[in-house]
Amino acid sequence: MKLLYHPDQADIHLSTVLDALSDPIRLLIVSELHNVGERACGDINVPVVKSTASHHIRTLRESGIVNVRVQGTQRLVSMRTEDLNIRFPGLLPSILEAFKNSEEKRKLMNPQ
Amino acid sequence: MKLLYHPDQADIHLSTVLDALSDPIRLLIVSELHNVGERACGDINVPVVKSTASHHIRTLRESGIVNVRVQGTQRLVSMRTEDLNIRFPGLLPSILEAFKNSEEKRKLMNPQ
DNA sequence: TTCAAATTTCGATTATAATCGAACAATAAA
DNA sequence: TTTATTGTTCGATTATAATCGAAATTTGAA
């Protein structure tokens, strides 16, 4: 059983979080997790191969944005909403709202 | 007279803004501009050489975060607060507030 | 027209990151 | 114990970015 690194709430840093959320694919993952709650890695709908998705989920986990727990062969991913709201009040809601109507989202959902 | 590119309000994109603000030096610049209003490039207090500062200011300008106007030999830089608040309500205030007590700020102001 | 001040651009270096496919690892089920 | 499922790691490629010092540019002043 592998143990997965998650930073403590106090070790979640602003620039790291902003960097993690500056990637459209990761914004899409965060948006989906926010809407549906917990999801297995493979059930998150993203337009990249699984190894790339794995990399993005790791980035989100190591920056403190998501929690990952192991259940059988699956990894269940969920937002660390509470920790983020305590650490950076208002940040996540404003980003989620902005992403809803963003060109980033449109482009990812309407592949040419 | 050189003309400086500034994106229209509608062309300011979320991921670009988050990426621009994920750099601690640029967070410091934005924080200072927010506090003091307009500033000449050279009067912005940052722990990097002028060519690097120039690069960061350009990144902020091209992402739509700051406005730069020419006055004599100086370039006066200021926040596009209004445009950002319309485009991404609540985003900038939450980032500025988070930066105030951040480790990023502490490290930049307390050089070892 | 020459000089000084403010800032940008250029070239080089170093580092980091997104992406993919293939191989690997862990677990559950047959 | 073999097999299928789920996800990670590895290696390679390609791209982007932060940084600096030196040279160039722009403008105002002497």
Side-chain angles (χ1 to χ4, degrees):
Chain A
M1 163 92 92
K2 200 96 164 285
L3 77 140
L4 300 170
Y5 169 74
H6 290 85
D8 290 342
Q9 186 189 98
D11 291 328
I12 302 178
H13 297 302
L14 179 63
S15 54
T16 311
V17 166
L18 295 179
D19 186 55
L21 296 178
S22 69
D23 184 285
I25 299 283
R26 290 193 290 260
L27 279 173
L28 188 64
I29 293 172
V30 163
S31 170
E32 181 165 342
L33 291 176
H34 172 75
N35 291 329
V36 306
E38 205 172 41
R39 263 270 192 271
C41 287
D43 295 342
I44 300 173
N45 204 327
V46 279
V48 288
V49 301
K50 62 177 182 166
S51 62
T52 303
S54 177
H55 155 73
H56 284 305
I57 291 165
R58 185 222 273 240
T59 300
L60 289 170
R61 172 173 54 77
E62 294 183 341
S63 69
I65 294 170
V66 304
N67 187 273
V68 181
R69 67 189 182 93
V70 177
Q71 192 178 68
T73 63
Q74 301 195 127
R75 306 276 174 113
L76 300 178
V77 190
S78 59
M79 291 297 297
R80 291 180 65 176
T81 309
E82 189 69 11
D83 287 327
L84 290 171
N85 275 332
I86 290 172
R87 204 82 184 70
F88 314 121
L91 179 65
L92 189 61
S94 68
I95 291 177
L96 287 168
E97 183 59 33
F99 183 67
K100 271 192 207 163
N101 314 305
S102 67
E103 188 156 343
E104 286 89 341
K105 183 174 181 184
R106 213 183 38 64
K107 278 187 184 166
L108 290 172
M109 315 266 285
N110 282 41
Q112 325 299 22
Chain B
M1 163 91 91
K2 200 93 165 284
L3 77 139
L4 301 170
Y5 169 73
H6 290 85
D8 289 343
Q9 187 189 98
D11 290 328
I12 301 178
H13 297 302
L14 179 63
S15 55
T16 311
V17 166
L18 294 179
D19 186 55
L21 296 179
S22 70
D23 183 285
I25 298 283
R26 289 193 290 262
L27 279 173
L28 188 64
I29 293 172
V30 162
S31 171
E32 181 165 342
L33 291 176
H34 172 74
N35 291 329
V36 306
E38 205 171 40
R39 263 270 192 270
C41 287
D43 296 341
I44 300 173
N45 204 327
V46 280
V48 288
V49 301
K50 60 180 182 164
S51 62
T52 302
S54 177
H55 156 72
H56 285 305
I57 291 164
R58 186 222 273 240
T59 300
L60 289 170
R61 172 173 55 77
E62 293 183 342
S63 69
I65 295 171
V66 304
N67 186 273
V68 181
R69 68 189 181 92
V70 177
Q71 193 179 66
T73 62
Q74 300 193 128
R75 306 276 174 113
L76 299 180
V77 189
S78 60
M79 292 295 298
R80 291 181 63 177
T81 310
E82 189 69 12
D83 287 326
L84 290 171
N85 275 332
I86 290 173
R87 203 82 183 71
F88 314 122
L91 180 65
L92 189 59
S94 68
I95 292 177
L96 287 169
E97 184 58 33
F99 184 66
K100 271 192 207 165
N101 314 306
S102 67
E103 188 156 341
E104 287 89 340
K105 184 176 182 184
R106 213 182 38 65
K107 279 188 186 166
L108 290 173
M109 315 266 285
N110 282 40
Q112 323 301 21

